Amino acid sequence: MGMLLAGGLLAGMLLAACTGPGPVMVAPPVSQGTDTSCSRLRSRLPDTVNGHARRTTKPRSDRVAAWGDPAIVLRCGVPRPSSLGRGDVAPFVANGVAWLQHIGGDTVDFTAVDRPVFVEVAIPKKYEGQSGILTDLSDVVSATMPERPLPQ
């Protein structure tokens, strides 16, 4: 009986972990100036992005936010993109914010590269109209972080 109870408890814990309130996210490493810039950004993030509702993330972090299912994930304070400054890849501007695009396996990742800290938005390829998502987030990035010259 005890073994059956322990097995049921373990199964329940695993099920709860899989169906919890939000995706497990990894916060970027903390660097100088990250906390202030990211806290300011987080305080102004919208409840919806291009019609997708905000989700809870685990663990909670001032540097990670998510919307929709599958999750559109914003991470603030990410490392400098390796392609930044290469002549073959140029950022594009959406609502006053310069974004560098990287197409991955399941997501299209955009990194804001003209702010005091780098801000990454990973958008699942399932979503069409990525420009609407970037427009919503560009407005908040622009309002909370001063523009700076593009790093070389």
Side-chain angles (χ1 to χ4, degrees):
M1 176 79 168
M3 189 72 115
L4 185 60
L5 181 60
L9 259 154
L10 180 59
M13 288 170 41
L14 288 173
L15 183 60
C18 293
T19 60
V24 174
M25 305 290 167
V26 177
V30 177
S31 61
Q32 186 175 2
T34 301
D35 284 340
T36 302
S37 294
C38 293
S39 291
R40 212 172 319 130
L41 175 66
R42 182 173 180 83
S43 71
R44 300 272 304 268
L45 289 173
D47 291 333
T48 61
V49 170
N50 200 36
H52 302 286
R54 184 105 176 243
R55 301 177 60 152
T56 302
T57 60
K58 292 190 261 179
R60 189 173 174 347
S61 170
D62 282 344
R63 294 177 286 129
V64 179
W67 299 263
D69 185 15
I72 298 160
V73 179
L74 178 143
R75 296 184 334 130
C76 183
V78 297
R80 175 191 170 110
S82 60
S83 59
L84 183 60
R86 288 192 349 218
D88 61 330
V89 179
F92 67 93
V93 177
N95 279 18
V97 178
W99 297 93
L100 195 61
Q101 180 182 28
H102 171 75
I103 299 173
D106 294 332
T107 62
V108 180
D109 302 334
F110 299 90
T111 305
V113 294
D114 63 344
R115 304 297 149 165
V117 298
F118 297 109
V119 178
E120 176 189 82
V121 178
I123 303 173
K125 288 182 179 176
K126 167 189 173 179
Y127 297 122
E128 298 206 16
Q130 295 162 347
S131 62
I133 294 167
L134 279 185
T135 298
D136 287 353
L137 294 173
S138 291
D139 290 341
V140 179
V141 169
S142 183
T144 58
M145 294 183 182
E147 186 175 1
R148 69 171 189 174
L150 287 173
Q152 298 301 317

